[in-house]
Amino acid sequence: MTEPAVTEPDVTGPDVLDLWEHSVREHTGGPALVTPHRVLTYRDADRLTDAWAAFLAERGAGPGELVGLAFGDPARTVLGMLAALKAGAGFTVLDDRLPPAARTALVARTAAAVWLGDGAHAPEGACVPHGPAEDADVTEPARPVRRADGSDVAYVLFTSGSTGRPKGTVIERDALRRFAAAVASRLELTAHDRWLQVASLGFDVLIEEVFPAFAAGAAVVCREDTRALDAEELHIALARTRATVVELSTQYWLEYARWLDGSGTATPETLRTVVVGGERMDPVPYRRWQARQPAVLAHVYGLTECTVSSTFYTGLLPSDAEEVPLGTALQDVEISIRQDGRPVPDGGTGEIHIGGPLLARGFLDDEEATARRFVPDPYASTPGGRVYRTGDLGRIDADGQLVFLGRVDDQVKIRGHRLEPARVERALCEGGVGQAVVFPDPETGTVLWAFTVPADPAAAPLPGEAVRLTGADRDALVAPLEAQLPDWAVPRVLYRVSVLPKNPHGKVDKRRLATWAAAASAASGAPATAAAPVAAAAPVPEAAGTGQEPLGTVLALFREVLDAPALGPDDNFFDHGGQSLLALRLLARLRESRPDAAGLRASALFTAPTPRLFADVLAGRAVARP
């Protein structure tokens, strides 16, 4: 092998690798990376990634270049991230859930100098470098070939593309360094911590699972693959690996919390912190967790464009709090509330703006989008400062905590008044309602509709149905609203559903709800209250798969979760956009309506990925029950 040319580092400032090297010196024999088959100490991981870094540098990886990672193995992905940084390059991670066309497009856009990977989704030419032999001389390990400047790229990760083409967010090395140190400090991580890695490898939470742990000399615990864990599997993994920290999306955490409550189980003794974020948090389950579970919650808020999480809340939620705060800013993060670009008075409502050195450089090869969201900050403490417009509404409360109030574009206008639907949804959830969504009727836009999920699953209608509330049921929900809201803000048409359907990007599918409402009106003979015309779903077969489980119910849930009205009984869940969170959601919906789904894990979808096969699985469980 030809020796790579060595470039002396022309760097005097701090670098993200300084955090790693400090942990290597201070915790040489301590665990850095824990896998189901091996524990890599900081010394082991340092030697291995030095060798990988030399391999990458020989093939053109260096400052300003990207290394693409397409492993199915989370541990190799983590090692590849570290090796790329050691080579002076940045990294990007190819999500194995992406369809082939999207993968091909992202590979082309990143123009990576080298691709590492061995997963089925790896692009042509991807390879896996070899590490040093176990008995190799460890007194003089190979050192990183090149070091980079703090303004060089650390990584590029892509947004979901829910509003268009996915945007590649470019994060620089100095931002990653500051972020890792700030999170390690805020969560009080030590070398005794073990952070279980569960996020999808293309998701920015991966960054938060890895680099703060390494900054503190803690261990990152990796699973064997990226397969989704259901609530019970997650609990077993936490206990088996003696994890002390885990980060879950809001919906994933809710599934885990429900499982713990239903099984009368507490979080494992070793688990001390559960980091939760991604969606608005309802205070009711948050308080219930704090009253019952020993592991504390850290509620976080942030965006890919601002280096993952920007604020943390770890307090005990007051009994009168109407929202779970997003918390206070990390070190080096500047949070401000603005209207039309100008700061609002203390306590005022406006758009959340994020500033400071943790901001991304911008979007990869998209100057227009960068200029639109990353804007000059005339109020910055230093010349040339920028601020990121989040599009989220919020305020700073009397305790200095950031409070989320919805999206700027979620505001609606009813009879001349501007309304934040989240305000009405919170009020609905105060009395017997588990979840709620409120929006104007699609036809006239002059009347508010409310769709509610009862707190008691036994009171919910069948999946895919909407039941219009009348009489005492309606009055029980409307009366409290009339006592605290103006007349125009009170929903006049209310429905009960078993679940708020989500589109593939995790947002409530209001168009689908309107379709259910139209179907309910047609079935009752009532005049249609206006639903936008939509394509009719393919008919649901009524015949059973085998045994007692109706295929129609299972097929309806597959269609609902995947947002695929034309899905057939023999269509594959994963070929139609199915992924880990959607699998968990499907299992949760089944458990709510089918006793024979209790204890069924998301992994069952891998062996029975079609509605017909899954119905057969449920039928077999029903027959086997005593």
Side-chain angles (χ1 to χ4, degrees):
M1 180 182 294
T2 304
E3 289 296 322
V6 176
T7 303
E8 291 297 324
D10 183 20
V11 180
T12 57
D15 185 69
V16 63
L17 287 177
D18 297 341
L19 302 175
W20 169 261
E21 290 167 0
H22 179 268
S23 291
V24 171
R25 290 193 303 270
E26 297 297 318
H27 310 290
T28 302
L33 199 61
V34 178
T35 77
H37 307 293
R38 185 182 179 190
V39 175
L40 290 174
T41 66
Y42 271 90
R43 179 183 61 184
D44 296 334
D46 195 45
R47 292 177 61 228
L48 181 57
T49 51
D50 278 352
W52 282 25
F55 175 92
L56 291 172
E58 184 180 49
R59 287 156 178 77
E65 300 288 345
L66 285 178
V67 171
L69 303 173
F71 291 107
D73 177 4
R76 281 185 167 180
T77 301
V78 172
L79 292 169
M81 289 169 10
L82 188 56
L85 293 172
K86 283 187 171 186
F91 60 84
T92 189
V93 182
L94 190 61
D95 194 333
D96 61 359
R97 303 168 304 171
L98 291 174
R103 291 202 302 265
T104 300
L106 291 192
V107 169
R109 288 178 61 190
T110 55
V114 190
W115 274 96
L116 300 182
D118 57 1
H121 64 298
E124 185 177 357
C127 54
V128 181
H130 297 292
E134 293 293 333
D135 57 353
D137 180 13
V138 298
T139 58
E140 295 183 4
R143 302 310 302 165
V145 177
R146 284 182 282 187
R147 292 286 295 272
D149 187 76
S151 62
D152 282 318
V153 60
Y155 65 84
V156 174
L157 290 182
F158 287 83
T159 61
S160 66
S162 58
T163 56
R165 190 177 75 150
K167 295 182 177 64
T169 302
V170 183
I171 301 294
E172 297 177 350
R173 296 173 75 100
D174 189 56
L176 178 57
R177 175 186 69 84
R178 291 172 182 266
F179 168 77
V183 173
S185 175
R186 179 63 66 93
L187 293 180
E188 299 180 346
L189 299 179
T190 73
H192 300 293
D193 278 306
R194 300 163 70 92
W195 195 316
L196 180 64
Q197 193 283 309
V198 297
S200 300
L201 298 184
F203 190 30
D204 67 350
V205 171
L206 173 68
I207 304 299
E208 190 156 85
E209 294 173 319
V210 171
F211 289 97
F214 285 162
V220 176
V221 181
C222 288
R223 298 179 291 118
E224 190 164 13
D225 53 36
T226 61
R227 181 178 58 85
L229 298 177
D230 68 18
E232 185 176 0
E233 290 172 321
L234 171 65
H235 185 74
I236 292 171
L238 289 168
R240 177 179 54 78
T241 62
R242 305 190 309 281
T244 63
V245 183
V246 69
E247 183 159 0
L248 307 175
S249 69
T250 306
Q251 290 299 321
Y252 195 178
W253 172 79
L254 282 169
E255 301 291 355
Y256 183 43
R258 291 191 189 105
W259 181 85
L260 289 172
D261 286 347
S263 61
T265 305
T267 51
E269 291 183 6
T270 55
L271 186 65
R272 68 174 183 87
T273 302
V274 180
V275 183
V276 184
E279 294 183 50
R280 174 188 170 267
M281 173 67 74
D282 186 358
V284 175
Y286 198 91
R287 289 194 189 94
R288 184 182 300 121
W289 176 285
Q290 291 190 323
R292 301 180 183 180
Q293 300 299 338
V296 302
L297 293 175
H299 191 216
V300 299
Y301 166 76
L303 300 98
T304 305
E305 296 88 344
C306 305
T307 315
V308 204
S309 297
S310 297
T311 65
F312 279 67
Y313 176 74
T314 55
L316 189 64
L317 188 65
S319 59
D320 60 347
E322 296 181 351
E323 286 288 340
V324 180
L326 301 178
T328 56
L330 284 177
Q331 183 178 346
D332 292 324
V333 174
E334 301 168 5
I335 301 291
S336 59
I337 307 299
R338 307 187 185 190
Q339 282 280 16
D340 300 322
R342 294 186 294 273
V344 303
D346 292 346
T349 297
E351 183 179 3
I352 301 171
H353 287 60
I354 301 178
L358 268 63
L359 289 191
R361 179 189 299 173
F363 298 118
L364 182 68
D365 298 328
D366 196 337
E367 295 182 2
E368 182 180 349
T370 299
R372 188 165 57 249
R373 301 307 294 268
F374 296 87
V375 299
D377 184 10
Y379 305 96
S381 56
T382 57
R386 299 178 304 151
V387 67
Y388 182 76
R389 299 174 52 203
T390 67
D392 293 329
L393 284 172
R395 64 180 175 86
I396 305 294
D397 68 14
D399 296 322
Q401 305 281 351
L402 179 64
V403 178
F404 176 75
L405 298 175
R407 289 284 300 172
V408 170
D409 51 12
D410 280 345
Q411 284 189 340
V412 298
K413 202 166 189 177
I414 295 292
R415 292 168 13 201
H417 302 276
R418 295 209 67 82
L419 172 70
E420 294 163 14
R423 179 185 178 192
V424 185
E425 293 162 2
R426 290 194 299 270
L428 281 167
C429 289
E430 291 174 1
V433 170
Q435 293 177 286
V437 65
V438 172
F439 56 92
D441 75 88
E443 186 172 277
T444 69
T446 60
V447 177
L448 283 179
W449 283 4
F451 289 81
T452 64
V453 178
D456 179 5
L462 292 175
E465 290 186 359
V467 175
R468 184 162 179 173
L469 300 181
T470 59
D473 288 339
R474 177 185 178 280
D475 294 344
L477 293 180
V478 169
L481 302 184
E482 292 177 328
Q484 57 180 302
L485 299 173
D487 176 73
W488 50 267
V490 176
R492 298 302 171 186
V493 178
L494 292 88
Y495 291 91
R496 180 178 293 155
V497 294
S498 63
V499 62
L500 298 180
K502 303 291 180 65
N503 62 29
H505 307 295
K507 299 182 183 298
V508 174
D509 192 339
K510 297 173 183 176
R511 183 183 178 91
R512 189 108 189 229
L513 287 171
T515 303
W516 293 356
S521 297
S524 66
T529 51
V534 297
V540 178
E542 296 299 332
T546 59
Q548 302 173 358
E549 174 61 31
L551 175 58
T553 300
V554 176
L555 181 55
L557 282 172
F558 269 64
R559 289 174 173 174
E560 174 189 307
V561 168
L562 293 173
D563 187 31
L567 188 83
D570 297 307
D571 287 334
N572 189 296
F573 179 84
F574 300 100
D575 291 343
H576 290 266
Q579 35 92 339
S580 58
L581 184 56
L582 294 180
L584 293 172
R585 189 171 297 149
L586 175 64
L587 266 293
R589 304 305 171 236
L590 277 167
R591 293 190 194 105
E592 290 172 359
S593 58
R594 301 295 310 179
D596 44 14
L600 191 63
R601 298 181 178 179
S603 54
L605 274 170
F606 288 89
T607 55
T610 72
R612 191 186 307 279
L613 291 174
F614 209 81
D616 288 346
V617 169
L618 287 176
R621 290 169 60 87
V623 170
R625 293 179 69 193

